[in-house]
Amino acid sequence: MSIDTNNLHPNYPIVSGQYQLTSTWSVSLPFKFNRRIEEGSLILWRPSLTLYFNVWNNNHNESIDTRLAQRKQDISTEAFELHEQSNISNHRLSYQLIEDGTHALYGFVFAKESYIQVATYFDNASDINLARSIFASIDE
């Protein structure tokens, strides 16, 4: 793992462990991260790893399958390693991209009332398992 465990920004709040993203969504963070809000996104970051979170309500009472199909239409043709997983209460979709030389894992977790979107950017390709682990920890 190549993530730098030091050098957090002293002027931003620091979060770690089981972190409550919203009143319903949480994520398990394996390290300390700085936190900020930027253009409506919650951003958790540290050297070499940045996560952008957005939560969307199900205002039109659409099924998980309908919302999933809509997101699939937006996937870049450059995406690779598409993964899906379902359980009784939600459906997960993730895929990888390389954007301007930066590795990214995009993920969505769809639940009945809302869905969460996370974009994880990491400097080293070997950190994909860390990115996947954080994505897998997102829970409603």
Side-chain angles (χ1 to χ4, degrees):
M1 179 173 61
S2 65
I3 299 297
D4 182 355
T5 58
N6 298 308
N7 300 319
L8 292 177
H9 197 292
N11 295 334
Y12 288 90
I14 296 174
V15 298
S16 64
Q18 192 65 26
Y19 181 67
Q20 200 68 38
L21 298 163
T22 69
S23 62
T24 56
W25 292 99
S26 66
V27 65
S28 182
L29 301 172
F31 309 111
K32 293 179 180 177
F33 285 80
N34 283 119
R35 177 183 59 83
R36 72 178 187 267
I37 303 291
E38 186 175 294
E39 297 180 13
S41 296
L42 170 65
I43 302 171
L44 304 179
W45 87 98
R46 58 175 308 104
S48 305
L49 181 66
T50 303
L51 302 105
Y52 289 76
F53 293 93
N54 288 292
V55 175
W56 309 98
N57 290 323
N58 187 9
N59 295 333
H60 301 290
N61 201 27
E62 296 172 316
S63 70
I64 288 175
D65 288 340
T66 297
R67 291 175 286 145
L68 175 63
Q70 291 167 347
R71 293 294 64 82
K72 282 183 173 181
Q73 290 177 357
D74 296 334
I75 295 175
S76 168
T77 58
E78 302 292 318
F80 59 99
E81 294 290 327
L82 181 82
H83 293 279
E84 290 188 64
Q85 179 184 11
S86 288
N87 65 34
I88 196 162
S89 63
N90 64 46
H91 188 95
R92 293 176 185 271
L93 168 68
S94 67
Y95 57 90
Q96 293 181 60
L97 283 172
I98 298 176
E99 300 175 325
D100 299 323
T102 300
H103 299 272
L105 176 70
Y106 286 86
F108 303 84
V109 183
F110 297 88
K112 184 177 190 237
E113 300 297 324
S114 64
Y115 73 92
I116 190 165
Q117 173 184 2
V118 60
T120 304
Y121 299 97
F122 45 101
D123 293 346
N124 190 318
S126 66
D127 288 325
I128 184 59
N129 290 332
L130 174 61
R132 284 185 183 139
S133 173
I134 294 170
F135 173 65
S137 78
I138 297 172
D139 198 16
E140 183 188 43

